[in-house]
Amino acid sequence: MKVFFSEEHRRHFPQAELCGGEFVTPFERPSRVEYVLGRLKEQGLTDIVAPGPVDMAPIRTLCDPGYLDFLENAWDEWKAEGFAGEVIAANFPARRMQISRPPRNIDGKVGYYSLASETALTNGTWAAALSSAASAQAAQAHVAAGAKSAFALCRPPGHHATADMFGGYCFLNNAALVAEAFRRDGAGRVAILDIDFHHGNGTQDIFYGRGDVFFASLHGAPEDAFPYFLGYADETGIGAGEGANANYPMLPGTAYDVWSGALDTALARIRAFGAEALVISLGTDAYKDDPISFFKLDCPDFLDAGRRIGSHGLPTVFCMEGGYAIQQVGINTVNVLEGFLDA
């Protein structure tokens, strides 16, 4: 399996995350990638290449133009305002406020385009987000050209990003870009399977009214887990997308027997949908010792999950999402890939 990865990800490294009422070192940090790369090499998955330049055209098609302008210029506008720290949202449009008029002032603009305040932007965030998207685009092109699978080692991740909001450490939705690319390349139907612990709210939002892309997400129940306000089982799509969205929220303490049952159900739905290509939002924060999650999967479970996904034989692109138990993120990520290849 070819791996696509850009060193530009290092340019995004906020020094603070608001968690539990205090600033901490962000859980989503550059060292996560080092553990994944190290494990890939240990296991002989050494076909690791840098992507080519990002193609902005599909990103502009997917995303709101004002949002892209914000991402590109937020740092400069923040510094021009005289702020000394990193770009962090402190003001949000709440219920019964205006939501259709983005502020001119950067302090308000950040909140307008943000869905949570744990995610900061830095001087290198835009470049890193583009490099992450470039890795996803390159992986998709490789599979569209005939390869069975590819792994986009994306950082920053993407599945929380909507067409016009960032948050949950995400800025551009890599899985959505891959699905759209498969559609442009002729796949009549595409499926996205999100196995990250946190609901892929951004991916759901992008495709919720469409019937050509099926989205399934296995995640912590929104009553108990970020992003809190989306991911319920009764969210099944709207209009042309009715029936093309499937959420599998699960309770604190969920172990692999329950989780794998949801996985099998999601895969059966994908097969019935008639997907011609598959995108996996590969988060490993369902691991039992992840610091910001509450499922109880163990390392061998990820190997089995990969086998179950691979048994369906679809052309598949994996996009890296979450996983914050640093010592195990490489093992668990590569276990999914190896299980897939074994199948």
Side-chain angles (χ1 to χ4, degrees):
M1 183 184 297
K2 183 166 283 192
V3 178
F4 295 88
F5 159 73
S6 172
E7 290 285 353
E8 288 287 289
H9 82 92
R10 300 180 191 281
R11 297 184 62 182
H12 174 66
F13 189 13
Q15 297 303 294
E17 172 182 336
L18 184 61
C19 179
E22 60 182 345
F23 284 108
V24 301
T25 301
F27 293 101
E28 203 295 292
R29 61 189 74 160
S31 58
R32 295 175 61 242
V33 167
E34 299 308 316
Y35 283 96
V36 177
L37 286 173
R39 184 63 174 177
L40 286 167
K41 293 171 183 176
E42 284 177 10
Q43 298 303 106
L45 296 170
T46 57
D47 191 2
I48 303 170
V49 298
V54 69
D55 183 356
M56 286 301 302
I59 295 174
R60 293 190 184 100
T61 299
L62 184 74
C63 295
D64 174 76
Y67 174 59
L68 294 179
D69 181 76
F70 159 76
L71 287 178
E72 184 173 6
N73 296 294
W75 180 258
D76 290 340
E77 292 183 33
W78 188 259
K79 290 305 173 183
E81 193 67 22
F83 297 134
E86 295 172 333
V87 183
I88 300 176
N91 306 279
F92 297 90
R95 287 184 290 276
R96 293 174 297 282
M97 289 184 176
Q98 290 277 1
I99 60 171
S100 60
R101 301 180 184 180
R104 280 193 296 267
N105 184 279
I106 186 61
D107 189 36
K109 197 183 294 186
V110 177
Y112 181 83
Y113 287 115
S114 175
L115 56 86
S117 60
E118 84 295 294
T119 302
L121 291 87
T122 70
N123 189 28
T125 296
W126 178 236
L130 291 179
S131 76
S132 186
S135 293
Q137 289 176 339
Q140 186 278 331
H142 180 63
V143 173
K148 178 182 177 182
S149 61
F151 175 39
L153 182 45
C154 296
R155 185 183 174 271
H159 72 148
H160 293 305
T162 73
D164 59 358
M165 288 184 290
F166 74 95
Y169 314 133
C170 302
F171 303 95
L172 296 173
N173 196 308
N174 302 307
L177 286 169
V178 171
E180 285 284 71
F182 275 128
R183 287 286 291 115
R184 288 195 307 273
D185 287 339
R189 292 189 163 198
V190 179
I192 303 172
L193 173 62
D194 192 325
I195 63 171
D196 189 281
F197 168 82
H198 300 94
H199 178 247
N201 61 290
T203 315
Q204 172 174 306
D205 184 67
I206 289 169
F207 294 111
Y208 203 61
R210 289 175 50 175
D212 57 338
V213 178
F214 183 86
F215 175 68
S217 177
L218 283 60
H219 53 270
E223 297 96 332
D224 302 304
F226 181 90
Y228 297 113
F229 306 109
L230 213 61
Y232 290 91
D234 60 2
E235 297 161 10
T236 57
I238 191 170
E242 177 60 49
N245 195 90
N247 286 324
Y248 302 91
M250 288 168 274
L251 297 173
T254 292
Y256 188 63
D257 58 343
V258 174
W259 190 93
S260 62
L263 175 63
D264 289 343
T265 302
L267 288 168
R269 289 284 304 275
I270 288 169
R271 183 170 58 250
F273 177 73
E276 298 166 34
L278 179 62
V279 186
I280 304 293
S281 275
L282 176 50
T284 61
D285 39 3
Y287 177 64
K288 62 181 182 179
D289 293 327
D290 194 277
I292 55 174
S293 308
F294 55 61
F295 288 169
K296 298 301 178 184
L297 275 63
D298 208 344
C299 296
D301 297 331
F302 291 97
L303 190 67
D304 183 69
R307 291 194 189 102
R308 294 179 191 228
I309 295 168
S311 69
H312 289 257
L314 289 171
T316 303
V317 171
F318 294 87
C319 292
M320 189 70 198
E321 303 287 2
Y324 309 103
I326 295 294
Q327 298 294 331
Q328 288 79 27
V329 67
I331 294 170
N332 293 335
T333 300
V334 177
N335 274 2
V336 174
L337 302 179
E338 289 190 313
F340 177 89
L341 293 172
D342 286 345

